[in-house]
Amino acid sequence: YDTSFGNNGVFTLANTAGSDFAYDMTLLPNGNILVVGAKSLTAADTQFAAWAIKPDGTLDPSFAVNGVYEDNLDTGEEYINQVLINNNLIYLVGRKFTPGFSANSIAVQCLDFQGNIVIT
C-alpha cells in the first residue's frame, strides 16, 4: 500500500465522544475522497458526518469545517449510508432514528462541493 498516504498508509481520525462510522465513499472531482457515515456525540446520539480526505491522507480544510461536515438532526441517531455525486452536487442518503426509536425515517441532504447544504 501507499505509505505516503496518511500515517504510513492509514488515515485515522480520533473521536473523543465515542465511535465514528463509515458506510460509503466516493471520489470528488478535485481528487479528494469523500467518506460518509456518522459521528457519535454520545453513546445514544450520532449525527450525519462526511470527511473530505486529500490524496495525501489529510483532511481538506476547504471542505465544510476543517474537512468535516456534521449535522445533528435531533437527539437520536443519524447515519449516512450512501453518497451520490450528480450534477455537481453531493447527495447524502441515510436514516434517522428518533430518541427511543419511536420512529424511523429516511433522510436525504444535498451539499455543494465545499460541504455547504444546498437549499432550493
Side-chain angles (χ1 to χ4, degrees):
Y1 56 92
D2 182 358
T3 57
S4 68
F5 179 83
N7 184 5
N8 202 26
V10 178
F11 171 84
T12 58
L13 184 65
N15 178 354
T16 58
S19 301
D20 291 331
F21 304 90
Y23 292 111
D24 198 11
M25 63 186 221
T26 192
L27 287 176
L28 295 174
N30 65 1
N32 287 347
I33 303 163
L34 185 67
V35 177
V36 300
K39 179 179 177 182
S40 290
L41 300 172
T42 67
D45 186 8
T46 59
Q47 65 182 355
F48 272 14
W51 301 267
I53 304 166
K54 297 189 301 185
D56 67 359
T58 60
L59 288 172
D60 180 357
S62 70
F63 181 84
V65 178
N66 298 318
V68 182
Y69 169 78
E70 301 173 329
D71 192 4
N72 191 21
L73 305 176
D74 63 24
T75 58
E77 298 181 42
E78 299 96 34
Y79 301 91
I80 301 170
N81 297 101
Q82 290 189 306
V83 59
L84 170 71
I85 305 293
N86 188 47
N87 292 327
N88 295 316
L89 294 171
I90 301 167
Y91 292 90
L92 307 174
V93 181
R95 54 196 167 152
K96 179 174 112 40
F97 303 111
T98 57
F101 295 94
S102 59
N104 300 323
S105 306
I106 62 167
V108 179
Q109 289 186 327
C110 182
L111 306 179
D112 62 21
F113 285 140
Q114 291 73 45
N116 303 303
I117 288 184
V118 175
I119 300 172
T120 57

